[in-house]
Each structure stands twice: as structure tokens, then as C-alpha cells.
Amino acid sequence: MHPTRWLCVALIVVSNACSASPHTNDAGHANEQAVTAVRQYLEELARGDVIGAMAQRCRAARVTADRQDAFGASLDALTKDLRGVHPASIAVASVPAEVHPVADLPDPIVVRFNLEVAGRLTEQLFMTTVVEDGGRRVCGSATRDGYRLGGDAHAALTVSRSTVRSPQELMPADPVGLTRIDDHQIDAAGDGSPTGLTAAWVRSWSDGGELEADVVAYEFRAGADALAYAGLIIDGDSRTVVSRFEVAEVADAIGLRLLGQPALWVQPADFGPQFDEILVVYGNTVVISDVFQPDPRASTELVAALAASVDRLVGIDVVTS
């Protein structure tokens, strides 16, 4: 999986918090604090100050020291695409927006903002702020339609036909024009492994530049475990969903286009790289095909081709326990 994808879930609690204005019960003052917290976070990003940006986040949303270099590299790349981080408007969202905080902290207030790129405004971004240690912190972000589209995808999730093939046997051949860069078993008993996982395999490719693709297959003891895990994946992706797309080549497939730099909380849906993801539940096996697209205008043909290749390997219908 592309390293920027893992950054979005690498959020753990650390001990230090920065100073901020004290919390107040006055709604107007609280709104001002929320706008200030988002503005300060964006200013730290604009300066390229990863440590300063982390200090503006709630503790549960701070990237650990060992991942800050990767965060900084992602920030540098996106800043280049955006020609800098230039907020054009920052205000409390007047229409309720669904942006879940990373941590269950008091007084969440959602702030909307746009960025200015080459003389035009991007799509709106949303960030939620909370109160922690007496100060206002940024504590989550979402695309405009992410949770709605993610909810629709979850509702559409179903079990396709079953397969007797192992995760390794479901790995497709190398796509034309791409070079295999990884091909290995995943430890099914490792820390953080999902409930009921018995085997898993990942195969990855690159075009030698920024484009990367992978297929991951997870085999579970029971179909219910597989379906539950697929639902968790979609729910985890929801805040970063840009759009859904149809996958005509594969029955019962869920296709999602996601932000390519979700960990930064500052990528607009219409700028920067994207992740194309197709998820299918084959009985008790979950298969996820991913493509990291540097160009947000790129088609979904490559990820659809990978998913179709897996689908052809699934084999005849069988009954699994």
C-alpha cells in the first residue's frame, strides 16, 4: 500500500499540548476560537512546520515522530500541486456538516474553508475542532460528500460468489507497463489483525514514477467476519471519499475514489493525487484493488482492470463455511 495511505490511520496519543485560548461557553467566542484554530493549523502547514501543525491537533490526531518525515514529504508534494497553502475563506459551517472528530472530546465545531489555487477557489474543505486541555484543537476533517457517499457504499456492500482460492492464488499477473515491487504474505496473527483473519497476501506494482497499484486479499474463517471487515474499511475511508464509481466488469464491487493525501487534512477533492479503490467480498475473502493516481483527472481503468483480473481467478461457485 502506498505510504501516504497508511499515514491517515497512523494516529496515536502523545502527551504534549500547545497553549490556546481558554474555552468559553459563549457560542460566538467559541466559534471565533474554532476559526482561529483552523487558521493556525493552516499557517503551520503553509510554513512546512510539521511539529507546529501537530501541536494544533488534538493529541489523538497527532502523527508520531517516526512518521513525521513521511508527513512532511506528503505536505511538500501537495503544497507543490497547490502552489502553496492559501486559505481564501475560513468560517464556521452555517449548514450542519458531518465531520467526526478523531477523539470523543467536548464542544465540536465544524469549520469550512476554501483554498485559492491559480486564481480560483477549490472545493470546500471541512475540519472539526474540539476542546482539549482548556484549548481549542483541530481534530478531524472530511470531504464535502465523504460520509454520505461512504454510507451509500456501505449500504450497497454485499457478498459476491465464493472462492476456494487462497489469497496468494488470487493475485493477478503484472499489468502492462508496470513493474512488480512487492509480493508477500501478510502475518494474519500480527498486532491489529482483524477478527477471524486466517491468511492474507499483497502484491504491488509501480510505473517507476509516482503511480502505484496493489491488490490485497484477506481470507477469514467465516463470511460474516469478511463482511464486517469490508464494512470497517469503507467506514474508515468515508471521510476521504471524493466520489463513487461503477465497476461494470465485476459484480457486487464497490468503487471509491479517495483523497491521495488524507493525513494532511488540507487536500481539496479537486486537486492533488487520488486513490482509486475497488472492494469485493468473495464469500469469506475480501479483495481490495488500489491505484494511487498522481493526476486527479485520471480514469479508473487501471484499478478496474486489476479487479477484473482477480474476478477471473475466483473460479466456480462453491460453498464456504
Side-chain angles (χ1 to χ4, degrees), residues 99-187:
V99 185
H100 302 163
V102 170
D104 185 15
L105 291 167
D107 199 20
I109 297 175
V110 176
V111 174
R112 60 167 176 80
F113 61 98
N114 301 82
L115 300 177
E116 185 174 349
V117 181
R120 75 174 182 88
L121 295 183
T122 66
E123 287 192 16
Q124 278 190 341
L125 296 89
F126 294 89
M127 200 175 293
T128 190
T129 70
V130 296
V131 173
E132 184 176 57
D133 299 331
R136 180 64 63 173
R137 305 282 185 267
V138 295
C139 201
S141 69
T143 58
R144 182 184 59 194
D145 299 316
Y147 284 109
R148 177 183 62 80
L149 292 171
D152 292 345
H154 196 153
L157 185 63
T158 188
V159 178
S160 188
R161 68 192 192 279
S162 300
T163 182
V164 294
R165 293 186 183 274
S166 70
Q168 184 179 6
E169 292 170 333
L170 290 172
M171 294 296 106
D174 298 341
V176 175
L178 299 184
T179 300
R180 190 182 302 185
I181 58 174
D182 200 2
D183 190 28
H184 70 269
Q185 182 178 0
I186 298 171
D187 183 6

Side-chain angles (χ1 to χ4, degrees), residues 258-275:
L258 314 170
L259 296 177
Q261 305 285 15
L264 304 178
W265 297 2
V266 74
Q267 182 186 351
D270 49 347
F271 275 90
Q274 312 284 325
F275 271 110

Side-chain angles (χ1 to χ4, degrees), residues 38-50 52-53 71 75-76 79-80 82-87 115 264 266:
V38 171
R39 180 178 290 111
Q40 289 175 339
Y41 177 72
L42 296 175
E43 288 173 351
E44 298 292 356
L45 292 183
R47 284 194 286 268
D49 186 347
V50 175
F71 184 98
L75 176 60
D76 290 345
T79 301
K80 183 178 179 180
L82 295 174
R83 304 179 192 179
V85 178
H86 304 294
L115 300 177
L264 304 178
V266 74

Side-chain angles (χ1 to χ4, degrees), residues 37 190 210 320:
E210 294 182 76
T320 59

Side-chain angles (χ1 to χ4, degrees), residues 6-300:
W6 295 121
L7 269 172
C8 70
V9 294
L11 304 174
I12 69 171
V13 175
V14 294
S15 59
N16 296 325
C18 65
S19 60
S21 301
H23 175 55
T24 176
N25 291 325
D26 177 73
H29 191 189
N31 287 348
E32 290 177 4
Q33 289 179 327
V35 170
T36 297
V38 171
R39 180 178 290 111
Q40 289 175 339
Y41 177 72
L42 296 175
E43 288 173 351
E44 298 292 356
L45 292 183
R47 284 194 286 268
D49 186 347
V50 175
I51 294 175
M54 291 303 108
Q56 299 299 327
R57 289 187 174 195
C58 62
R59 288 195 302 272
R62 295 175 186 166
V63 252
T64 52
D66 62 318
R67 292 183 176 270
Q68 287 183 3
D69 286 347
F71 184 98
S74 296
L75 176 60
D76 290 345
L78 184 62
T79 301
K80 183 178 179 180
D81 286 339
L82 295 174
R83 304 179 192 179
V85 178
H86 304 294
S89 61
I90 309 174
V92 171
S94 56
V95 177
E98 189 176 18
V99 185
H100 302 163
V102 170
D104 185 15
L105 291 167
D107 199 20
I109 297 175
V110 176
V111 174
R112 60 167 176 80
F113 61 98
N114 301 82
L115 300 177
E116 185 174 349
V117 181
R120 75 174 182 88
L121 295 183
T122 66
E123 287 192 16
Q124 278 190 341
L125 296 89
F126 294 89
M127 200 175 293
T128 190
T129 70
V130 296
V131 173
E132 184 176 57
D133 299 331
R136 180 64 63 173
R137 305 282 185 267
V138 295
C139 201
S141 69
T143 58
R144 182 184 59 194
D145 299 316
Y147 284 109
R148 177 183 62 80
L149 292 171
D152 292 345
H154 196 153
L157 185 63
T158 188
V159 178
S160 188
R161 68 192 192 279
S162 300
T163 182
V164 294
R165 293 186 183 274
S166 70
Q168 184 179 6
E169 292 170 333
L170 290 172
M171 294 296 106
D174 298 341
V176 175
L178 299 184
T179 300
R180 190 182 302 185
I181 58 174
D182 200 2
D183 190 28
H184 70 269
Q185 182 178 0
I186 298 171
D187 183 6
D191 292 341
S193 295
T195 301
L197 185 67
T198 58
W201 198 277
V202 59
R203 181 170 291 176
S204 304
W205 303 267
S206 171
D207 69 348
E210 294 182 76
L211 186 147
E212 291 188 11
D214 58 53
V215 173
V216 191
Y218 302 92
E219 181 183 88
F220 293 83
R221 292 191 185 91
D225 291 333
L227 195 62
Y229 182 65
L232 286 175
I233 292 293
I234 291 175
D235 291 346
D237 287 339
S238 287
R239 72 175 185 85
T240 72
V241 176
V242 174
S243 61
R244 281 186 67 189
F245 58 90
E246 295 298 318
V247 188
E249 302 88 344
V250 182
D252 304 314
I254 301 294
L256 297 172
R257 174 158 281 193
L258 314 170
L259 296 177
Q261 305 285 15
L264 304 178
W265 297 2
V266 74
Q267 182 186 351
D270 49 347
F271 275 90
Q274 312 284 325
F275 271 110
D276 291 335
E277 174 180 274
I278 295 176
L279 184 150
V280 190
V281 182
Y282 293 109
N284 62 344
T285 299
V286 178
V287 179
I288 303 173
S289 304
D290 270 319
V291 174
F292 180 80
Q293 299 272 21
D295 184 354
R297 299 163 298 180
S299 76
T300 58

